[in-house]
Amino acid sequence: QVQLVESGGGLVQPGGSLRLSCAASGSIFSRNVMAWYRQTPGKERELVARIYSTGNTNYAESVKGRFTISRDNAKNTVHLQMNSLKPEDTAVYYCHIDATNFWGQGIQVTVSS
């Protein structure tokens, strides 16, 4: 059973940056498609960023140019660099292996002045 654990969240002012990390208990193979999702109370969980086995990425329109997803297969980690944060980025962020039932526990990101 794969376990995913997020870290790096917290409180930041608008315009600030955070770097989320996701560590896997097992190997994250290069063929795995990894993603970050986010969710706020009463709203549907939404895709934030995805990274494919090819290294190609895609992003939600709302975060394009501000967020960068990356992975380090040697360390079995996936990261989300979040720059120019906005209040509307406030959410619980989840690491996910696409097309599986493997999710992290979620980590809070709050953007507020």
Side-chain angles (χ1 to χ4, degrees):
Q1 184 82 15
V2 175
Q3 292 182 314
L4 303 172
V5 180
E6 301 101 335
S7 62
L11 174 65
V12 66
Q13 293 186 6
S17 297
L18 287 173
R19 182 175 173 85
L20 303 183
S21 297
C22 173
S25 60
S27 177
I28 301 177
F29 299 106
S30 62
R31 66 182 179 88
N32 295 134
V33 180
M34 303 297 302
W36 287 94
Y37 287 73
R38 67 187 182 188
Q39 187 171 23
T40 57
K43 298 182 66 177
E44 295 291 321
R45 190 171 298 183
E46 65 175 350
L47 175 69
V48 176
R50 175 181 286 125
I51 184 165
Y52 295 88
S53 59
T54 60
N56 289 343
T57 58
N58 59 39
Y59 299 91
E61 183 67 28
S62 59
V63 308
K64 285 181 180 178
R66 300 187 298 119
F67 290 10
T68 303
I69 187 171
S70 62
R71 72 161 95 204
D72 185 340
N73 288 330
K75 297 181 179 179
N76 290 323
T77 56
V78 179
H79 306 280
L80 185 68
Q81 179 66 44
M82 309 164 67
N83 298 328
S84 302
L85 283 161
K86 304 175 180 179
E88 52 263 43
D89 295 318
T90 296
V92 176
Y93 284 71
Y94 297 89
C95 181
H96 176 56
I97 305 178
D98 265 6
T100 75
N101 194 38
F102 298 127
W103 294 86
Q105 81 284 358
I107 188 164
Q108 180 70 46
V109 171
T110 302
V111 185
S112 176
S113 60

